[in-house]
Amino acid sequence: MRVVIAEDNALLREGLVLLLTSAGHEVAAVAGTGPEILPALREHRPDIAVLDVRMPPDFRDEGLRAALAARAELPGLPVLVLSQYVEQSYATELLGGGAAGIGYLLKDRVGRVDEFLDALDRVAAGGTALDPEVVSQLLTRRKNSPLDSLTPREREVLELMAAGHDNTTIAATLVVTERAVSKHIGNVFQKLGLPPTDSGHRRVLAVLAYLENA
C-alpha cells in the first residue's frame, strides 16, 4: 500500500520509512511539519496516512488538525495517528467524524512491529485500531452509565472489541472459547442498549459510537 508519513522526529521518521518499506509498502511522501501534511496528502492520495499528533511549528495538535482536514477533504482516507501520551480529547475528536479507517496508537506501539503492522492493515482496510491504553481511559472516564453494569470479563471483551479485534482474537487473548466470546458480546450489547450486529467493523463502530456519546 502507499503511505504518507508525517513525523518531525528524524530518527522515528526514518525508522517508520524503513519499517514500512521492509514490510512491502511504498512510502509516497514524508512530512516534517504540520503545514506540509495536507499538500502531501492531496498530491499523493495515499492508501493510509501515518501522522504524529504534535508537529512543528507549535507542537500542539498540528497533526491531528491535518488529519481532520484531510478526512473532510478526502472522505474515507484512512488515518493512523501516533501520540506520545494518551490524550482523550484528541482521541474523541478524531473519532467524532466516524471511526471507520481510524487508528490512534501510542508511539511505543511502533516498536512492537507485528502489532503496529497489524493495526496499519486494519485501518487501511477501513477498520479501527485504538491503543489499549486509549480504550481503557475512554472506558474508565465514563461515569454513571450502562458501562458500570458490565462484569469485569464483559469490560475486557468490550475493550478488545473497541480496539478492533475479531472474535477469534478476543478468544485467544482471553483464553476462552469463541462461543463464550459471542455470549459476552451479546450481554454487552444488551446492557448498553445496542442492537446485535455482525462481527467486524459495524460492531466496532457501534461500540465506539456509544463510547463517544455515553
Side-chain angles (χ1 to χ4, degrees):
M1 73 181 76
R2 299 175 68 252
V3 186
V4 166
I5 297 172
E7 168 59 55
D8 68 289
N9 182 297
L11 184 61
L12 180 55
R13 184 171 63 243
E14 292 307 310
L16 283 168
V17 170
L18 179 61
L19 173 61
L20 293 176
T21 54
S22 297
H25 303 304
E26 175 191 348
V27 177
V30 295
T33 68
E36 296 174 23
I37 299 174
L38 201 51
L41 295 175
R42 287 173 180 149
E43 178 181 354
H44 297 282
R45 303 292 178 110
D47 298 306
I48 187 171
V50 179
L51 311 177
D52 187 359
V53 168
R54 298 186 179 188
M55 297 282 290
D58 298 323
F59 293 98
R60 299 186 62 171
D61 58 0
E62 289 84 355
L64 177 69
R65 295 293 150 214
L68 295 172
R71 294 270 291 184
E73 189 171 322
L74 306 171
L77 173 69
V79 174
L80 178 57
V81 171
L82 303 178
S83 180
Q84 189 69 39
Y85 310 102
V86 176
E87 312 229 24
Q88 185 190 8
S89 60
Y90 290 167
T92 301
E93 189 165 2
L94 187 64
L95 294 168
I102 286 292
Y104 186 107
L105 298 180
L106 296 182
K107 285 187 176 182
D108 63 5
R109 198 70 56 183
V110 177
R112 304 174 190 181
V113 175
D114 290 341
E115 289 184 33
F116 174 72
L117 292 176
D118 178 63
L120 185 83
D121 289 342
R122 286 208 310 273
V123 173
T128 304
L130 295 184
D131 195 285
E133 288 296 324
V134 175
V135 175
S136 179
Q137 290 206 22
L138 286 172
L139 285 171
T140 57
R141 293 184 185 184
R142 306 287 178 174
K143 302 299 182 182
N144 301 318
S145 79
L147 291 171
D148 297 334
S149 67
L150 300 182
T151 66
R153 177 62 83 186
E154 289 165 355
R155 183 175 288 268
E156 288 178 324
V157 169
L158 177 57
E159 290 185 14
L160 290 168
M161 287 169 59
H165 297 299
D166 59 19
N167 286 18
T168 302
T169 303
I170 294 173
T173 301
L174 299 180
V175 194
V176 297
T177 65
E178 289 191 44
R179 183 176 180 179
V181 170
S182 296
K183 181 179 179 180
H184 289 310
I185 289 173
N187 291 338
V188 167
F189 277 114
Q190 182 178 22
K191 290 181 179 180
L192 298 187
L194 295 170
T197 63
D198 296 335
S199 62
H201 305 323
R202 285 184 296 170
R203 177 184 68 182
V204 177
L205 297 178
V207 173
L208 290 173
Y210 179 84
L211 292 176
E212 288 181 66
N213 298 290

